[in-house]
Amino acid sequence: MRALGAARRLQPCLQSCLRPSGLGGCAEPEAVSRQHIASTALQDHSSSSSSSSSGNPAALLPPTPWPVRHRALHSVGARQSAAALAEAAPEQQEPDQQQQQETIPDPAASAALDAASAANSSAATALSGMAAMLSSVDPFLAGIEAREGPVVEYKEQRLKGLYRRDERQELTITRIQRVYDELKQAKGGDRTLRRGRGLTLVDASSPSDDGGGGGGWLSGWFGGGGRAESSATGSTGVKGLYMYGGVGVGKTMLMDLLAKTAPPYFQLERTHFHDFMIEVHTRLRHHAHQADPLAQVANGIADRVSVLCLDEFFVTDVADAMILHRLFGRLWDRGLVLVATSNRHPDALYEGGLQRTLFLPFIQRLKDQCEVHDMDSRTDYRKLASHHRGLYFVTPSREKDLYERFLELVNGRPVGRDHAEVAMGRKLEMPRSGGCATMFTFDELCSRPLGAADYIALANAKHTLALSGVPVFTANNRTSAYRFVTLVDVLYEHRVRFLCSAEAMPFELFENIRTQQEARAAAGGAAAGGSGNSSGGRHSAGGFGGAGSSLEVVDDNLGFAKDRTISRLTEMQSEEYLRAHAKAHAPELLLAMAERKARQ
């Protein structure tokens, strides 16, 4: 009877999606609706089958097997096999039916059971046809044959409607699955040194990991003792993956699917490039009195990590550039597999940097060790998020409005001076702090010699930051622009709630920043337009000759980074980001946010 009720509830949905005349109107149904219908029918069918198992199992057998574990859609071959099986066993079903008639003498109960069986079979047949239709609508999902790994997780999220269909993401997830499959084949028989794995290094570290001195949550990585035996020793023969492309195209999201699905014996760690390099420099200081500190640091990493996932690979610091070749050269010699995301092609890393010729060998080795994959896409998914007003102030009263909002978030607590502990024994003074919120002026955070380590300490100390007086960036505050980019990266990674008052909207803050290619195009347009065209001739006076605006900056590193910063500033004002912030730092806010959304 449950199955009969389920069939009646499903009948309107199935008719609206499967009627021939209506296919044009629902040829692209929402994935979440498909998943809901399918899962509801499966639950009802399962309960009805179990309740009627003592009656006629053969009559209740669905015409098509449904592989629930992998949530795969039906194939035509599977349906044909099931039909052939049903036709091949008619003689086995008849004795069961006779036995059922003997054990159930009540004609009314028998009729009800037959009706339920017929309804159950009809619903299962209809769902089988709908699943086949959905497979044909999305050939990429239908062609997935893997039973585990990131591509399976990606498929499930697509069927739930959480991910959109994107050809570049589909191509990228197959590259990531290739890394997964090769790692499993290379390390499948190796179960030594299994340890916890998380999406961040904080999650994966263990209190029992003693690095032999020095603090930091990566201290377990760089233990000062002798080497432990590890499967990282020697080459695995697995080629890594370097994904580059524009902002908001899903690079980090897809890399995290690898981190989420990797078994413990992969020895995978995932972190941000900023955090990784800060800990490397910290451990270099710890081993400063040894013969080869960099070799000690590299060995400490390779002893514990086989797969390293680095987000936002972006080199601007000369100190980082000078050690990357030796550091990763030793890691690759020890068999480490690198999976990285970046906004730039390897050939464009550290472009225009000091002593870049010393950095070029690292670029060549990186391209040898990793498949370089272009994830260029026209879609920035962060900008699809609905905007949440009230955190980014640009009106004439912006400073006053920002301070009033800051006091609201302090929630009556006293505002005073505080400090955050920074790596390597320093302290960052916080002049205006209350509760879990702090407030700085732009000059206090971005016009002083501060860096990623200071901003990470700030993000760990407070989950809400108010920043006042963000200017439009020009040649006069170029260094401050670099620090602002780093600050936004750190706040975004740590899901910090960010309020600011600024002279302009995010995309206008960087309107004077150009890459060399943009400057050449502007200069070429001005030359083609002649002296009478004054609208297209703006370019940096230091770049390509001619009289340009002294406010403009031609800088490839800053020019490429600005797109990421604009995208993140935009997303950080969205409801989705604030929900992620609340989940990470203040779960008590989630209910209030849900109630407010329900009232809107």
Side-chain angles (χ1 to χ4, degrees), residues 179 183 187 193-206 209 217-222 230 232 241 255-256 258-273 275-276 300-311 328 331 336-341:
V179 175
L183 281 169
K187 301 172 68 67
L193 282 181
R194 294 192 180 201
R195 64 192 294 258
R197 170 195 49 78
L199 290 183
T200 66
L201 291 173
V202 180
D203 298 329
S205 61
S206 169
D209 291 337
W217 39 263
L218 286 181
S219 59
W221 261 27
F222 308 99
S230 170
L241 182 64
M255 183 180 71
D256 283 347
L258 174 63
K260 179 180 180 180
T261 57
Y265 64 88
F266 274 19
Q267 296 178 269
L268 182 148
E269 302 288 3
R270 186 269 194 210
T271 186
H272 192 277
F273 181 74
D275 298 345
F276 176 74
I301 299 174
D303 284 342
R304 290 177 174 266
V305 179
S306 295
V307 184
L308 178 61
C309 293
L310 288 181
D311 191 28
F328 275 92
L331 291 176
L336 181 132
V337 177
L338 174 67
V339 178
T341 70

Side-chain angles (χ1 to χ4, degrees), residues 336-376:
L336 181 132
V337 177
L338 174 67
V339 178
T341 70
S342 179
N343 295 132
R344 311 197 66 178
H345 188 280
D347 291 335
L349 289 173
Y350 197 53
E351 198 165 39
L354 295 174
Q355 299 180 331
R356 188 171 185 265
T357 54
L358 300 178
F359 184 73
L360 295 180
F362 169 75
I363 294 177
Q364 186 57 50
R365 185 75 187 272
L366 174 65
K367 292 191 292 185
D368 292 340
Q369 294 289 332
C370 297
E371 176 188 2
V372 178
H373 174 61
D374 182 1
M375 201 183 162
D376 187 26

